[in-house]
């Protein structure tokens, strides 16, 4: 018996081949046409590049923001500026089961120092999965140059872990192409980027990056960890 999941998986596999060389605009147009309102676009509110591209394909859609309770004020500020600028967006603040205070009471303070994988699982991975369960597809800003683990990222793929189609429209973009889009289109950007925070996550786990260093070297600096567990 063919299930809805099997059909979605087939769709992802066909699209992965057909859209292997698609531009971001083509991938997002396909997403809007194929899924209607049944997709969500993820943003960590470092910038609004992906959201700006997605609005050009469809002006109204859901946006996934993982509201971990540990964000910089500048990140929350960008989320609010995005909401004010792109009026068709429905920002969904996906929250963990426990507030930071509740987590501290149960697990002890600063779990992010002692066990960042457990902290990320509770504050990011679980809320992500719970939210994605409501959709057939999600769109991410993952790029191949982000990290060696992301070098093979396709434009369209089946997300086996979460059971839906995953679209990565800007996967092939270089850092130069990304910066040019921000500059040419006046895209909103987190104020911390200008201060040297080149890969922005939760405040306790994000540091400034030395000039010329790998942007993701500022994430979980000093910890044996390079990913939140959201993308692989
Ligand atoms: Fe916790 Fe740090 Fe992961 Fe945020 S990035 S969920 S604070 S471990």
């Amino acid at each position: 018996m063919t299930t809805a999941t099997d059909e979605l998986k087939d769709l992802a596999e066909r699209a992965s081949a057909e859209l292997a060389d698609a531009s971001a605009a083509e991938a997002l147009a396909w997403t809007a046409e194929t899924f209607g309102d049944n997709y969500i676009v993820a943003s960590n509110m470092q910038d609004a590049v992906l959201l700006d591209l997605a609005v050009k394909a469809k002006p109204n859609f859901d946006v996934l923001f993982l509201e971990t309770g540990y964000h910089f004020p500048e990140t929350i500020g960008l989320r609010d500026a995005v909401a004010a600028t792109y009026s068709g967006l429905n920002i969904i603040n996906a929250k963990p089961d426990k507030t930071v205070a509740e987590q501290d009471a149960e697990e002890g303070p600063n779990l992010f120092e002692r066990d960042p994988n457990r902290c990320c699982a509770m504050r990011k991975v679980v809320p992500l999965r719970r939210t994605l369960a409501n959709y057939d597809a999600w769109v991410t800003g993952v790029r191949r140059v982000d990290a060696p683990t992301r070098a093979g990222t396709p434009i369209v793929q089946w997300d086996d872990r979460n059971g839906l189609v995953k679209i990565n429209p800007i996967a092939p973009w270089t850092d130069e192409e990304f910066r040019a889009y921000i500059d040419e289109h006046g895209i909103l950007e987190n104020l911390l980027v200008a201060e040297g925070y080149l890969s922005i996550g939760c405040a306790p786990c994000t540091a400034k990056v030395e000039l010329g260093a790998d942007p993701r070297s500022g994430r979980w600096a000093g910890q044996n960890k390079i990913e939140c567990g959201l993308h692989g």
Side-chain angles (χ1 to χ4, degrees), residues 29-228:
W30 174 83
T31 302
E33 191 179 325
T34 306
F35 298 103
D37 291 330
N38 200 359
Y39 70 96
I40 188 165
V41 182
S43 177
N44 66 356
M45 297 299 167
Q46 175 157 329
D47 56 75
V49 169
L50 181 64
L51 298 176
D52 188 79
L53 286 160
V55 161
K56 287 170 178 157
K58 186 172 184 291
N60 54 323
F61 52 83
D62 291 349
V63 175
L64 168 59
F65 177 63
L66 294 174
E67 177 39 304
T68 64
Y70 276 122
H71 284 297
F72 290 103
E74 289 86 348
T75 302
I76 301 301
L78 183 62
R79 178 199 62 187
D80 295 344
V82 162
T85 303
Y86 300 97
S87 59
L89 302 189
N90 175 35
I91 298 179
I92 294 175
N93 293 288
K95 294 185 178 175
D97 292 328
K98 296 181 176 67
T99 63
V100 169
E102 288 167 346
Q103 179 172 299
D104 284 355
E106 289 183 22
E107 306 272 345
N110 301 349
L111 182 63
F112 52 80
E113 283 177 353
R114 290 175 287 111
D115 192 346
N117 287 333
R118 179 164 166 74
C119 187
C120 275
M122 292 194 296
R123 310 204 75 76
K124 290 184 170 180
V125 177
V126 168
L128 174 82
R129 287 195 184 151
R130 190 161 48 213
T131 306
L132 293 184
N134 299 319
Y135 301 88
D136 284 344
W138 68 307
V139 180
T140 85
V142 169
R143 291 188 294 132
R144 293 170 191 156
V145 294
D146 287 340
T149 49
R150 299 182 180 184
T153 302
I155 305 284
V156 180
Q157 66 188 130
W158 174 245
D159 177 349
D160 207 32
R161 183 187 292 194
N162 295 303
L164 77 173
V165 182
K166 185 175 182 183
I167 300 106
N168 312 296
I170 58 172
W173 283 27
T174 64
D175 289 339
E176 291 72 25
E177 288 170 316
F178 191 80
R179 177 52 49 190
Y181 190 88
I182 290 176
D183 293 344
E184 284 168 20
H185 298 274
I187 300 300
L188 291 168
E189 190 170 30
N190 193 311
L191 296 174
L192 291 173
V193 174
E195 293 183 25
Y197 292 84
L198 302 185
S199 177
I200 301 171
C202 295
C205 302
T206 302
K208 281 189 191 181
V209 173
E210 298 295 325
L211 200 61
D214 174 0
R216 284 188 72 83
S217 63
R219 301 289 291 279
W220 302 284
Q223 307 251 24
N224 183 25
K225 179 173 170 68
I226 55 169
E227 295 276 2
C228 334

